[in-house]
Amino acid sequence: MSFIENTLEDWEKLVKKQLKTENIYEILSKDNLEDITVKPYYQSNSDSKSLPKVEESTHLVAEFQDGLEEHAFAFLLNENVEGLEEKAIFINNPDLAEHILTEESNRYFSLIDVFSDDKTAEIDEHLSGELLSKAFERQIGINVSLHQNAGASIVQQLAFALAKSKELTEKFGPEILEKLVFRFAIGSNYFFEMAKIRAFKYLFNQLSREFEKDLIPFIFAETSLRNKTKGDPENNLIRSTLELASAMIACADAVFANDFKIENSTALSKEISFKQQIVLAYESIINVFEDASSGSYFVENITQQLAEKSWKLFLELEEKGGYLELLKSGEIQKMIVDQAAKEQSWVEEGKIKLIGVNLYPKLDVKKTVDELYNYDEIKAVRLAEMFE
């Protein structure tokens, strides 16, 4: 049995006939906030290759609560918990990180970011020293989830992660690159977010090569808060399930689901949030594959475009003095707020649809863009806050 190989011209002819127009690309094209070119038809990608992860299988991380010890093998800790054995522990509290007593049977990873988020533009040297003295597998976190939740574009998130890494190498030497955990928030643009994680693997490897290393980044991916709403927790659950799936398919080393309830969190809502990961892992086994999206012409192409744009922005940041210098001048904050305001306007205009907020809503703007965003600080803002 043989198959007929169709060409781009064959496809264009068929679509023109179906849409009854010659302007098919005008109809099929769709704008996006990243200025990425998305084609309606892909044929090949000669640069396809599988991108590995650090961990053999993705850690499914739960916020600790009594009763989950038998179901969870990785925990996010904000306070000390005794008696844990053979667990992966992700430490989320600077004070806990400084004082925790490690157990030999557990593995420890720090999510603590040592950068200030304001115009003081400092690296906390005391905290850095304390973290680097600990017997953790990875001692310092680079928190890019804050940037995503504040409204930064994917390109900005990736460039900022590289720029912060570069600042740390200048402070502590290239060996610090092997001690980092990158914390990303995953939004609702399913394939773009998949490509984001994949692009960062390329980018970080390239950065490490500048220091004569060949490293894979350790990526901790969590569900975004930016697209979640107070009034529709069930929709939040659907959104976060897709975000988790995107992160697992892209080979994040650990995934974590924030509580799908924005208000009135309960032990049950936290447990349900965690068990989304269990369902995905046990029903689809997507936490064990190595780069399942490799070979997808669409995802590979977006990955390449994001990587190129992010590396270009990273070099521009370095030419202007680097992350800390631009944080001190307020340029980093301005970049994020300007991008966030553009995204917020797309929500207000209905170009980005949030069910129950601007799709089938009782639409009543409660806060303006100027009330939500501030050039003096990087802070998380949910898109729905304008209407709540």
Side-chain angles (χ1 to χ4, degrees):
M1 181 178 179
S2 61
F3 294 92
I4 299 173
E5 183 175 344
N6 292 317
T7 66
L8 174 61
E9 290 72 25
D10 294 330
W11 175 85
E12 287 177 332
K13 184 178 179 180
L14 177 62
V15 175
K16 285 177 182 178
K17 181 180 178 181
Q18 291 178 336
L19 295 181
K20 298 180 175 62
T21 180
E22 292 291 314
N23 300 321
I24 60 172
Y25 288 100
E26 183 178 332
I27 293 173
L28 296 176
S29 65
K30 184 179 179 182
D31 292 338
N32 60 78
L33 289 163
E34 308 297 331
D35 292 326
I36 295 295
T37 300
V38 178
K39 299 184 290 186
Y41 182 90
Y42 292 85
Q43 286 178 287
S44 65
N45 188 330
S46 59
D47 298 326
S48 173
K49 70 175 184 178
S50 181
L51 297 170
K53 55 186 174 183
V54 176
E55 297 294 301
E56 184 176 348
S57 61
T58 301
H59 292 291
L60 311 178
V61 184
E63 184 175 351
F64 181 82
Q65 57 184 15
D66 290 331
L68 279 185
E69 292 95 325
E70 293 184 8
H71 301 286
F73 299 96
F75 282 113
L76 181 80
L77 292 190
N78 289 299
E79 55 187 38
N80 192 41
V81 176
E82 296 181 353
L84 294 177
E85 295 182 356
E86 298 183 352
K87 305 293 185 186
I89 307 296
F90 292 87
I91 302 169
N92 196 39
N93 180 310
D95 186 62
L96 174 61
E98 288 190 50
H99 299 99
I100 192 171
L101 297 177
T102 57
E103 300 288 342
E104 287 188 6
S105 69
N106 294 324
R107 302 175 65 197
Y108 295 86
F109 303 87
S110 168
L111 297 176
I112 310 305
D113 193 308
V114 296
F115 287 78
S116 67
D117 298 318
D118 53 28
K119 289 185 178 180
T120 58
E122 297 174 340
I123 293 175
D124 189 328
E125 294 192 30
H126 171 76
L127 178 58
S128 300
E130 288 289 332
L131 293 172
L132 291 171
S133 70
K134 296 297 180 182
F136 302 158
E137 290 193 25
R138 292 181 178 254
Q139 288 95 340
I140 290 179
I142 290 187
N143 184 6
V144 198
S145 66
L146 172 64
H147 298 104
Q148 193 275 345
N149 283 309
S153 70
I154 290 175
V155 170
Q156 289 171 348
Q157 293 167 50
L158 298 178
F160 295 158
L162 292 175
K164 292 176 81 170
S165 302
K166 178 70 162 33
E167 295 281 1
L168 289 175
T169 62
E170 292 176 355
K171 177 72 72 173
F172 301 108
E175 293 73 23
I176 197 71
L177 295 175
E178 301 173 51
K179 302 175 181 180
L180 303 178
V181 174
F182 292 90
R183 185 173 189 169
F184 284 95
I186 306 301
S188 58
N189 197 335
Y190 188 67
F191 292 107
F192 275 51
E193 293 291 340
M194 205 179 291
K196 176 172 81 176
I197 291 178
R198 299 184 77 255
F200 189 68
K201 291 175 184 281
Y202 277 118
L203 293 165
F204 183 76
N205 183 257
Q206 177 62 37
L207 179 67
S208 74
R209 288 174 183 271
E210 300 292 325
F211 298 97
E212 300 182 349
K213 295 182 179 295
D214 185 16
L215 302 177
I216 304 165
F218 189 105
I219 295 176
F220 178 100
E222 65 182 321
T223 56
S224 175
L225 297 174
R226 184 154 174 80
N227 60 354
K228 305 304 186 293
T229 64
K230 290 181 181 180
D232 295 287
E234 293 79 10
N235 284 330
N236 290 342
L237 199 58
I238 295 170
R239 294 180 184 115
S240 58
T241 300
L242 291 171
E243 291 161 9
L244 291 167
S246 182
M248 288 187 194
I249 291 170
C251 282
D253 295 287
V255 292
F256 173 72
N258 286 296
D259 197 326
F260 70 94
K261 284 191 171 183
I262 298 298
E263 294 182 327
N264 304 317
S265 174
T266 65
L268 179 59
S269 65
K270 290 180 181 179
E271 183 177 350
I272 290 173
S273 296
F274 163 65
K275 287 187 174 176
Q276 293 175 90
Q277 303 169 73
I278 299 291
V279 172
L280 287 168
Y282 292 168
E283 294 293 331
S284 305
I285 327 176
I286 57 175
N287 63 317
V288 299
F289 289 118
E290 186 170 283
D291 198 7
S293 59
S294 175
S296 162
Y297 303 153
F298 175 47
V299 175
E300 292 277 10
N301 185 271
I302 300 171
T303 299
Q304 183 178 356
Q305 289 187 68
L306 288 175
E308 290 173 354
K309 287 177 177 289
S310 301
W311 187 260
K312 181 174 181 289
L313 178 56
F314 164 62
L315 294 179
E316 290 173 0
L317 298 177
E318 290 301 301
E319 288 176 4
K320 293 179 180 179
Y323 184 82
L324 288 175
E325 186 64 32
L326 294 178
L327 193 67
K328 185 182 296 182
S329 70
E331 187 165 340
I332 295 289
Q333 296 91 320
K334 185 178 187 304
M335 288 172 63
I336 294 172
V337 170
D338 288 348
Q339 179 69 24
K342 181 179 179 182
E343 184 181 22
Q344 193 77 54
S345 71
W346 279 33
V347 173
E348 193 173 5
E349 295 164 14
K351 294 173 72 174
I352 294 176
K353 301 188 186 307
L354 291 175
I355 293 174
V357 177
N358 66 352
L359 184 65
Y360 316 122
K362 294 178 180 177
L363 202 58
D364 182 16
V365 174
K366 302 289 181 61
K367 295 179 183 177
T368 66
V369 167
D370 290 339
E371 291 173 316
L372 289 168
Y373 301 98
N374 188 327
Y375 283 124
D376 290 331
E377 61 179 329
I378 302 172
K379 64 174 184 176
V381 179
R382 290 180 298 104
L383 292 165
E385 287 184 47
M386 172 175 278
F387 308 100
E388 293 176 341

